[in-house]
Amino acid sequence: MPARPPTRLRSLTLAALTVACTLASPWPRAAAQRLPPAAPRSTVRPRSPTVLMIRNVDEMECLLVASPVDADVCRIADEAMSDGAAVAVGSWLDGGEQLAAGLRGKWGLARVHVFGRECSFTHVRQQLLVLPSGFGGSDGFGSKPRECERAPLPARSVVLTSDCQCCVEAMESGMRCIGVVQEDWTGDDVKAMDRVADVLLDDLVGTSASEWSTPGAFWLNPPLPRSEEGEFLPDPDESVAPCRRSLAANMAPSQPGMLNGSPHSLPASASEVAALADDGAYDRGEGEAVADESFVDEIDDLASDNKLV
C-alpha cells in the first residue's frame, strides 16, 4: 500500500486544483459590485417667520354687535379688534356708544363704526375697511400674500345678537349669526332663536373671538346668502338684503324692543320690509373721536382680567 503524502502537501494540491477549476470555468465571473457613495447630509432649512399656518383659515373680518352690551361683549369686541377685524355697534344699545368710544380710544377710528337701527348689515359692512392678512404653506398647501385694504367680506362677518329678525337679516346678507340667550326668555323664545341662528349660546363666558373663524370651533364652511325658508339668494353686494329692524320699529314703536325682552318680532312680507328699508341711514360717528379715559381703561381691564381664551 503506497504511503500517503504529507498533510501540508495535500492542502497545497487541493488549493491549486480549486484555483485551476475556477479559472477554467465556462461561466463569466460576476463583476464586483460597488456600494453607491453615501448621500450627503441634508441641510434643514429654517421655517420662514412669515409663515403663520399651513392651511387656509379665514379669520373674522367684521363683528356687528346687536346684542345687549356687557363685560363679555366688550371683551369679544376688544379681541376682534386685536385680531385685525372691524367692529360695528348698534347705536340703540344701552352702552353701545360707550363701547364704540372705548374701542376708538384704544384702536383708533378706522375700524370702529356706529350704525342706526334702520341701517342694513350690508351697508354697515360696506362702510368699514380692513387689511386682511395672508397665509403661507408648504408641501402642497396653498399660500396667499397679504391683501390690499378693502371692505370685509360677508362670509367673514359675524353678527352677535339676541333678536330673531337680526339673525334672518344676517342669513340673507350672507353672514354668520351668533345668538345669545337672555335671562327672561321662555322656551319658545329659545326655540325661535335656535331655528335661525348659526350658533345659540347661553352666554359668552369662555368664548373667544378667534373661534369665530372659518373653519373654526363653531363652523367649517363659509355661509351662503339664503332666505328664512332656505332658498339661496343673490350676491349681497349686488342685491342688498333689507333691514328688518326698521320694520319692527315702525310697526311697534311702543314696545321696548327685542334687545330688552323677547326675541320675537312682528311678521312681515318681503314687500313691507323693502318699503321700510332705508339704504342711506347710517351714522359713521366720526365726530366722537375722543373717548372717556376711564372707559378706555375699562376696555383694557376686560381684555386682561376677563380670562381671555
Side-chain angles (χ1 to χ4, degrees), residues 71-232:
D72 287 312
V73 172
C74 294
R75 174 181 58 82
I76 291 291
D78 185 74
E79 290 177 4
M81 296 290 293
S82 178
D83 293 340
V87 174
V89 186
S91 60
W92 68 92
L93 303 173
D94 293 336
E97 296 283 353
Q98 284 185 311
L99 172 59
L103 294 174
R104 290 193 186 106
K106 183 176 181 180
W107 301 100
L109 294 173
R111 293 183 290 126
V112 182
H113 182 81
V114 177
F115 64 98
R117 187 186 294 271
E118 296 183 351
C119 182
S120 66
F121 288 150
T122 297
H123 282 289
V124 175
R125 176 181 58 82
Q126 292 173 342
Q127 304 305 316
L128 297 166
L129 291 175
V130 293
L131 190 62
S133 59
F135 61 90
S138 60
D139 298 333
F141 291 98
S143 62
K144 183 177 67 174
R146 179 183 291 272
E147 299 182 41
C148 298
E149 194 175 43
R150 58 165 172 76
L153 298 179
R156 303 180 190 178
S157 302
V158 178
V159 176
L160 182 64
T161 183
S162 298
D163 174 39
C164 284
Q165 292 302 319
C166 288
C167 289
V168 173
E169 183 182 348
M171 187 189 314
E172 295 173 342
S173 303
M175 304 178 183
R176 290 292 185 186
C177 180
I178 294 182
V180 182
V181 177
Q182 302 300 301
E183 295 181 355
D184 55 349
W185 282 10
T186 64
D188 292 337
D189 296 335
V190 175
K191 291 180 181 179
M193 177 63 81
D194 188 42
R195 185 177 60 86
V196 293
D198 291 295
V199 178
L200 183 60
L201 302 176
D202 293 332
D203 52 54
L204 298 175
V205 176
T207 304
S208 174
S210 60
E211 297 177 340
W212 299 349
S213 60
T214 304
F218 296 104
W219 48 74
L220 298 177
N221 301 315
L224 295 174
R226 62 193 189 280
S227 65
E228 188 175 0
E229 293 76 21
E231 300 178 355
F232 289 105

